[in-house]
mmCIF file of all heavy atoms in Angstrom:
data_model
loop_
_atom_site.group_PDB
_atom_site.id
_atom_site.type_symbol
_atom_site.label_atom_id
_atom_site.label_comp_id
_atom_site.label_asym_id
_atom_site.label_seq_id
_atom_site.Cartn_x
_atom_site.Cartn_y
_atom_site.Cartn_z
ATOM 1 N N LEU V 258 -187.776 211.090 98.978
ATOM 2 C CA LEU V 258 -187.673 210.824 97.540
ATOM 3 C C LEU V 258 -188.260 209.452 97.247
ATOM 4 O O LEU V 258 -188.394 208.619 98.143
ATOM 5 C CB LEU V 258 -186.214 210.871 97.097
ATOM 6 C CG LEU V 258 -185.555 212.250 97.111
ATOM 7 C CD1 LEU V 258 -184.116 212.134 96.676
ATOM 8 C CD2 LEU V 258 -186.313 213.213 96.210
ATOM 9 N N ASP V 259 -188.596 209.285 95.997
ATOM 10 C CA ASP V 259 -189.152 207.999 95.591
ATOM 11 C C ASP V 259 -188.122 206.893 95.758
ATOM 12 O O ASP V 259 -187.101 206.880 95.071
ATOM 13 C CB ASP V 259 -189.587 208.102 94.124
ATOM 14 C CG ASP V 259 -190.043 206.756 93.608
ATOM 15 O OD1 ASP V 259 -190.419 205.895 94.429
ATOM 16 O OD2 ASP V 259 -190.029 206.582 92.374
ATOM 17 N N CYS V 260 -188.388 205.943 96.639
ATOM 18 C CA CYS V 260 -187.380 204.920 96.921
ATOM 19 C C CYS V 260 -187.133 204.025 95.712
ATOM 20 O O CYS V 260 -186.100 203.380 95.603
ATOM 21 C CB CYS V 260 -187.750 204.104 98.158
ATOM 22 S SG CYS V 260 -189.031 202.876 97.905
ATOM 23 N N CYS V 261 -188.098 204.022 94.775
ATOM 24 C CA CYS V 261 -187.900 203.177 93.593
ATOM 25 C C CYS V 261 -186.771 203.700 92.715
ATOM 26 O O CYS V 261 -186.274 202.992 91.848
ATOM 27 C CB CYS V 261 -189.181 203.096 92.789
ATOM 28 S SG CYS V 261 -190.513 202.338 93.721
ATOM 29 N N SER V 262 -186.402 204.961 92.946
ATOM 30 C CA SER V 262 -185.320 205.503 92.120
ATOM 31 C C SER V 262 -183.975 205.377 92.829
ATOM 32 O O SER V 262 -182.956 205.790 92.306
ATOM 33 C CB SER V 262 -185.613 206.972 91.812
ATOM 34 O OG SER V 262 -185.559 207.710 93.009
ATOM 35 N N TRP V 263 -184.005 204.825 94.041
ATOM 36 C CA TRP V 263 -182.749 204.713 94.770
ATOM 37 C C TRP V 263 -181.835 203.662 94.155
ATOM 38 O O TRP V 263 -182.310 202.649 93.618
ATOM 39 C CB TRP V 263 -183.010 204.342 96.242
ATOM 40 C CG TRP V 263 -183.677 205.429 97.027
ATOM 41 C CD1 TRP V 263 -183.891 206.717 96.630
ATOM 42 C CD2 TRP V 263 -184.235 205.297 98.334
ATOM 43 N NE1 TRP V 263 -184.539 207.410 97.621
ATOM 44 C CE2 TRP V 263 -184.758 206.569 98.679
ATOM 45 C CE3 TRP V 263 -184.326 204.258 99.252
ATOM 46 C CZ2 TRP V 263 -185.372 206.807 99.902
ATOM 47 C CZ3 TRP V 263 -184.935 204.505 100.474
ATOM 48 C CH2 TRP V 263 -185.455 205.769 100.798
ATOM 49 N N ASP V 264 -180.590 203.922 94.309
ATOM 50 C CA ASP V 264 -179.569 203.006 93.829
ATOM 51 C C ASP V 264 -179.773 201.629 94.469
ATOM 52 O O ASP V 264 -179.859 201.514 95.692
ATOM 53 C CB ASP V 264 -178.198 203.574 94.254
ATOM 54 C CG ASP V 264 -177.123 203.192 93.300
ATOM 55 O OD1 ASP V 264 -177.446 202.545 92.280
ATOM 56 O OD2 ASP V 264 -175.948 203.530 93.554
ATOM 57 N N GLY V 265 -179.881 200.602 93.639
ATOM 58 C CA GLY V 265 -179.996 199.243 94.167
ATOM 59 C C GLY V 265 -181.416 198.797 94.446
ATOM 60 O O GLY V 265 -181.645 197.651 94.783
ATOM 61 N N VAL V 266 -182.386 199.711 94.308
ATOM 62 C CA VAL V 266 -183.769 199.343 94.617
ATOM 63 C C VAL V 266 -184.567 199.216 93.320
ATOM 64 O O VAL V 266 -184.441 200.045 92.425
ATOM 65 C CB VAL V 266 -184.440 200.416 95.508
ATOM 66 C CG1 VAL V 266 -185.885 200.044 95.810
ATOM 67 C CG2 VAL V 266 -183.642 200.597 96.785
ATOM 68 N N ALA V 267 -185.366 198.158 93.204
ATOM 69 C CA ALA V 267 -186.224 198.008 92.035
ATOM 70 C C ALA V 267 -187.653 197.785 92.506
ATOM 71 O O ALA V 267 -187.894 197.070 93.467
ATOM 72 C CB ALA V 267 -185.754 196.831 91.186
ATOM 73 N N CYS V 268 -188.584 198.436 91.835
ATOM 74 C CA CYS V 268 -189.997 198.302 92.222
ATOM 75 C C CYS V 268 -190.807 197.667 91.095
ATOM 76 O O CYS V 268 -190.428 197.715 89.928
ATOM 77 C CB CYS V 268 -190.595 199.676 92.516
ATOM 78 S SG CYS V 268 -189.870 200.470 93.944
ATOM 79 N N ASP V 269 -191.924 197.146 91.477
ATOM 80 C CA ASP V 269 -192.879 196.675 90.496
ATOM 81 C C ASP V 269 -193.546 197.908 89.885
ATOM 82 O O ASP V 269 -194.066 198.747 90.618
ATOM 83 C CB ASP V 269 -193.911 195.803 91.210
ATOM 84 C CG ASP V 269 -194.877 195.170 90.240
ATOM 85 O OD1 ASP V 269 -195.547 195.903 89.479
ATOM 86 O OD2 ASP V 269 -194.960 193.931 90.244
ATOM 87 N N ASN V 270 -193.565 198.022 88.562
ATOM 88 C CA ASN V 270 -194.058 199.225 87.902
ATOM 89 C C ASN V 270 -195.534 199.457 88.166
ATOM 90 O O ASN V 270 -196.009 200.577 88.082
ATOM 91 C CB ASN V 270 -193.861 199.132 86.383
ATOM 92 C CG ASN V 270 -192.396 199.145 86.018
ATOM 93 O OD1 ASN V 270 -191.558 199.400 86.878
ATOM 94 N ND2 ASN V 270 -192.109 198.862 84.770
ATOM 95 N N ILE V 271 -196.238 198.374 88.474
ATOM 96 C CA ILE V 271 -197.683 198.518 88.624
ATOM 97 C C ILE V 271 -198.073 198.683 90.093
ATOM 98 O O ILE V 271 -198.744 199.637 90.462
ATOM 99 C CB ILE V 271 -198.401 197.326 87.974
ATOM 100 C CG1 ILE V 271 -198.119 197.362 86.457
ATOM 101 C CG2 ILE V 271 -199.903 197.374 88.247
ATOM 102 C CD1 ILE V 271 -198.288 196.057 85.779
ATOM 103 N N THR V 272 -197.584 197.798 90.941
ATOM 104 C CA THR V 272 -197.985 197.881 92.345
ATOM 105 C C THR V 272 -197.118 198.832 93.160
ATOM 106 O O THR V 272 -197.504 199.249 94.246
ATOM 107 C CB THR V 272 -197.895 196.512 93.013
ATOM 108 O OG1 THR V 272 -196.523 196.102 92.999
ATOM 109 C CG2 THR V 272 -198.745 195.468 92.298
ATOM 110 N N GLY V 273 -195.949 199.142 92.680
ATOM 111 C CA GLY V 273 -195.046 200.014 93.422
ATOM 112 C C GLY V 273 -194.300 199.327 94.553
ATOM 113 O O GLY V 273 -193.547 199.965 95.280
ATOM 114 N N ASN V 274 -194.494 198.048 94.710
ATOM 115 C CA ASN V 274 -193.773 197.333 95.758
ATOM 116 C C ASN V 274 -192.292 197.189 95.426
ATOM 117 O O ASN V 274 -191.929 197.031 94.254
ATOM 118 C CB ASN V 274 -194.353 195.922 95.934
ATOM 119 C CG ASN V 274 -195.705 195.967 96.608
ATOM 120 O OD1 ASN V 274 -195.917 196.751 97.532
ATOM 121 N ND2 ASN V 274 -196.624 195.153 96.118
#
Side-chain angles (χ1 to χ4, degrees):
L258 290 179
D259 174 22
C260 77
C261 298
S262 66
W263 292 350
D264 210 3
V266 179
C268 294
D269 185 303
N270 293 350
I271 296 158
T272 63
N274 287 320

